[in-house]
Amino acid sequence: MISSDLSLLFQPAVSVGNVGQLAVDLIISSLNMPKVGYFYTDCLVPMVGSNPYATNEDHAKELCINAEVYASSDKKLAVLQIRSPLIKNKSRAFCQALTCWIKQCAFSRVVLLSSSHAYQRDDSQLLGSPFRYLVTPTLQTLVADTMKALEWKEMEKLSLYPGINDEEKKISIPGGGFTKRLFEDWNINAVEGIHMAAVLKFCSEGDNVPDAFALLDHVNRWLNLLDFPAHQGLSKRDMASNLNSSQFYIEKVKRHSFSSKLCGAP
């Protein structure tokens, strides 16, 4: 069981460019967070590898798996890192299990880091900030003034039938993985006082390390996780990150999952 002293949880979505996962790697490595447990589920593609945050030979002998929990008691922060994609048709079961675990751990606030395809933006999303956020109603009342001061943009609801019926709108996050489904589950559970937010960046597949830095910098201006002045932002020299090995695992599992689909594997 996770310590009750931990009030804030960060977790990524498995989304375009793996931006959320890489941003979570930056948090773990920058704060030198120790591993405190695992999140067991049969909904993720199985994987195992060496410790991506190893700083010495002893640490390099440790193994990592597809879903692990890290914690910092000083920051009252927990991080769930997810390193492999969901198995087909397991999205709903995964979101339900994750929501149940969050309730059991009694986190007061949960932040999901995600991304969405830049090329599928609506015309209204092309100009201005590439970042968007979503919050549950219970959190909206608490952070509305802060978001306004930061000039953050809430994720727009887009027309289901542009030019035909512009009155019927919904949230669309192409390339966002389970982000939308999980957020909808969060809204259902909002009456129970679960404060949850999703922060995402529009991007494209490629070298997404800069996107991860930008996303974490954006979130840091709100939550001040890392002790850098907001006006300075984050730079690679500011952070003791080890993204290369972690990105290797993420890309390797992603390619294996794609190959399995081509071969007709379940």
Side-chain angles (χ1 to χ4, degrees):
M1 177 67 68
I2 301 297
S3 170
S4 59
D5 294 334
L6 304 175
S7 59
L8 174 63
L9 172 70
F10 266 83
Q11 68 167 84
V14 184
S15 54
V16 57
N18 307 107
V19 174
Q21 294 160 288
L22 293 172
V24 163
D25 275 332
L26 286 170
I27 296 172
I28 295 170
S29 57
S30 299
L31 297 178
N32 196 25
M33 300 175 71
K35 181 164 55 181
V36 297
Y38 307 91
F39 178 73
Y40 175 76
T41 174
D42 61 356
C43 299
L44 296 172
V45 173
M47 63 84 56
V48 64
S50 59
N51 181 7
Y53 312 117
T55 55
N56 56 52
E57 188 174 342
D58 290 336
H59 290 164
K61 297 177 182 177
E62 298 175 3
L63 296 178
C64 73
I65 61 171
N66 53 12
E68 297 181 321
V69 182
Y70 298 79
S72 169
S73 56
D74 293 340
K75 296 281 187 179
K76 295 185 177 181
L77 169 69
V79 171
L80 170 63
Q81 176 59 300
I82 300 171
R83 296 193 177 92
S84 66
L86 289 172
I87 294 173
K88 188 177 181 181
N89 298 326
K90 289 281 190 175
S91 176
R92 182 177 296 278
F94 175 77
C95 290
Q96 289 175 345
L98 184 59
T99 301
C100 182
W101 177 72
I102 288 170
K103 289 181 187 177
Q104 291 176 348
C105 294
F107 293 111
S108 62
R109 187 172 295 185
V110 182
V111 178
L112 176 71
L113 300 181
S114 184
S115 52
S116 182
H117 283 301
Y119 73 88
Q120 288 191 259
R121 285 175 292 176
D122 183 80
D123 288 349
S124 63
Q125 299 171 327
L126 292 175
L127 298 177
S129 172
F131 303 99
R132 293 294 187 273
Y133 77 93
L134 291 164
V135 291
T136 54
T138 53
L139 184 57
Q140 178 67 44
T141 56
L142 300 176
V143 302
D145 292 340
T146 301
M147 296 308 186
K148 184 176 180 180
L150 291 171
E151 298 182 344
W152 277 26
K153 287 189 175 182
E154 191 169 4
M155 192 66 176
E156 300 89 347
K157 290 185 177 181
L158 305 178
S159 174
L160 292 175
Y161 308 101
I164 300 176
N165 182 2
D166 292 327
E167 294 183 1
E168 191 174 352
K169 297 182 178 182
K170 68 173 185 177
I171 292 172
S172 177
I173 310 176
F178 57 77
T179 303
K180 181 182 175 183
R181 182 184 293 277
L182 187 59
F183 181 73
E184 290 173 346
D185 285 354
W186 291 352
N187 273 326
I188 292 173
N189 289 279
V191 292
E192 300 180 32
I194 301 177
H195 302 322
M196 300 186 177
V199 186
L200 62 90
K201 184 180 187 295
F202 294 118
C203 64
S204 302
E205 289 279 2
D207 178 6
N208 297 104
V209 171
D211 293 310
F213 274 97
L215 180 60
L216 183 53
D217 184 26
H218 189 66
V219 173
N220 197 53
R221 295 169 191 270
W222 171 30
L223 296 174
N224 299 310
L225 290 174
L226 304 172
D227 298 325
F228 305 123
H231 68 276
Q232 290 183 2
L234 303 178
S235 71
K236 294 181 181 180
R237 289 179 297 178
D238 291 328
M239 310 176 76
S241 61
N242 196 346
L243 287 183
N244 290 336
S245 58
S246 183
Q247 189 176 31
F248 168 77
Y249 290 128
I250 291 170
E251 292 296 329
K252 187 175 182 180
V253 174
K254 184 167 63 174
R255 288 196 299 269
H256 172 75
S257 177
F258 180 68
S259 298
S260 297
K261 291 179 181 178
L262 291 178
C263 295

